Amino acid sequence: MLKDLPQNTVKDIGIAVALEGESIESKTWYVYLINLKDVALETVLVTSKGYGEKDGEQVKTSVLRHAFPEVAPKSFKLIEPIDEATFGLNNEYWLSYYIGNQIYDKKFIFLPESIIDANFIKLPVVNKPGVMIL
């Protein structure tokens, strides 16, 4: 039965954590969905959660859900702010969307300590420094 399902591969779609601003006291971070495709994404759903070990104990954050009717071609959507304290956890984003009548989905996971200056790039479309998973 699984062999009968289409293999809809997610390409040219990224989830990025961008540095928005910096002060002496703190940094401001946001998570973005980046559509690098030439077509719009429709009925977009994103769930986010954090999990892992901190100070020897298992930790889980709340699951947050976000919906967007459409993400235009070559554009981005702000998903949510993210607290720097969660960078030591796995930060998971599960994306589902339609193109026409075909559904696509993919899980993006920022591993612990992967959101660091050494991994920064200039994020396409958003034009800010950050870390992106394609």
Side-chain angles (χ1 to χ4, degrees), residues 9-133:
T9 305
V10 173
K11 291 183 183 175
D12 300 326
I13 305 291
I15 300 286
V17 176
L19 178 60
E20 292 291 317
E22 227 175 324
S23 69
I24 295 171
E25 299 87 34
S26 66
K27 294 181 179 180
T28 305
W29 301 87
Y30 287 106
V31 181
Y32 290 96
L33 167 62
I34 301 175
N35 179 10
L36 300 172
K37 292 184 169 297
D38 292 324
V39 297
L41 311 180
E42 301 167 349
T43 316
V44 179
L45 301 171
V46 181
T47 62
S48 64
K49 67 179 179 179
Y51 58 90
E53 191 174 305
K54 189 164 188 154
D55 300 327
E57 293 186 31
Q58 289 298 314
V59 177
K60 289 183 184 180
T61 66
S62 299
V63 175
L64 301 176
R65 293 170 181 84
H66 312 275
F68 309 103
E70 183 176 285
V71 179
K74 306 287 186 191
S75 71
F76 63 90
K77 286 284 187 186
L78 172 66
I79 298 174
E80 64 187 14
I82 186 170
D83 189 337
E84 204 169 4
T86 65
F87 291 175
L89 302 174
N90 294 298
N91 287 286
E92 176 184 298
Y93 295 86
W94 190 295
L95 168 69
S96 295
Y97 62 91
Y98 282 88
I99 296 178
N101 65 356
Q102 294 290 312
I103 190 167
Y104 297 80
D105 72 329
K106 183 175 180 179
K107 188 186 305 185
F108 299 84
I109 301 175
F110 291 91
L111 297 175
E113 309 305 333
S114 64
I115 305 169
I116 57 172
D117 291 350
N119 294 334
F120 276 18
I121 60 169
K122 183 178 179 186
L123 299 172
V125 186
V126 179
N127 293 321
K128 295 181 181 181
V131 178
M132 182 168 75
I133 300 174

